[in-house]
Amino acid sequence: MRRFVQVCSLMVVFICSSQIVNAEDIARATLRAKYDMVQGKDVYERACSVCHSSGVMDAPKFCDITAWKPRMAHGMEAMVKHAVEGFNNMPAKGGMDALTLTESANAVAYMIDQCLFD
């Protein structure tokens, strides 16, 4: 009986952890299907990294999950809106007025993709 309980416990742990991984894979696939990660990386490197790599002007640092989780709780739409319109000390479009809504959204998606899933 004890052996049976141990085997069942291991199966439950395996099944639950598999579902979590699958949920992340699905979320990542959805993000990558909707946004252009190559363009997002380019925009991040040209515009966003100036502040987000070092935390200048209180910008949350790239992949500082503690700083980003509360922001991500508001959803992708709010994060893109802040990137486009500016938020707190962040200037609109990271100070690059020529960025489009799509380019800004791709940069936000790239940062989420790189930090949450890698």
Side-chain angles (χ1 to χ4, degrees):
M1 180 69 170
R2 183 175 173 185
R3 183 79 162 158
F4 176 75
V5 170
Q6 289 174 333
V7 170
C8 287
S9 296
L10 287 172
M11 288 176 59
V12 167
V13 169
F14 176 76
I15 290 168
C16 290
S17 65
S18 295
Q19 289 174 345
I20 291 169
V21 170
N22 288 338
E24 281 185 3
D25 289 344
I26 291 167
R28 185 175 215 181
T30 302
L31 193 67
R32 287 182 169 189
K34 187 171 181 178
Y35 300 96
D36 181 343
M37 295 299 152
V38 173
Q39 183 184 66
K41 180 180 181 182
D42 177 61
V43 172
Y44 170 78
E45 289 173 350
R46 287 186 296 119
C48 312
S49 68
V50 172
C51 296
H52 288 288
S53 65
S54 64
V56 133
M57 296 181 8
D58 296 322
K61 288 184 180 181
F62 186 69
C63 291
D64 178 351
I65 299 303
T66 304
W68 282 100
K69 284 267 183 186
R71 290 163 171 84
M72 289 185 287
H74 295 285
M76 186 70 176
E77 187 176 318
M79 292 178 64
V80 171
K81 180 179 182 199
H82 291 162
V84 171
E85 297 176 3
F87 188 73
N88 292 334
N89 293 329
M90 180 181 158
K93 300 179 183 177
M96 294 187 72
D97 293 335
L99 288 179
T100 66
L101 174 63
T102 299
E103 289 170 323
S104 299
N106 288 334
V108 171
Y110 168 76
M111 288 193 287
I112 291 170
D113 178 75
Q114 293 300 296
C115 298
L116 287 186
F117 303 114
D118 282 338

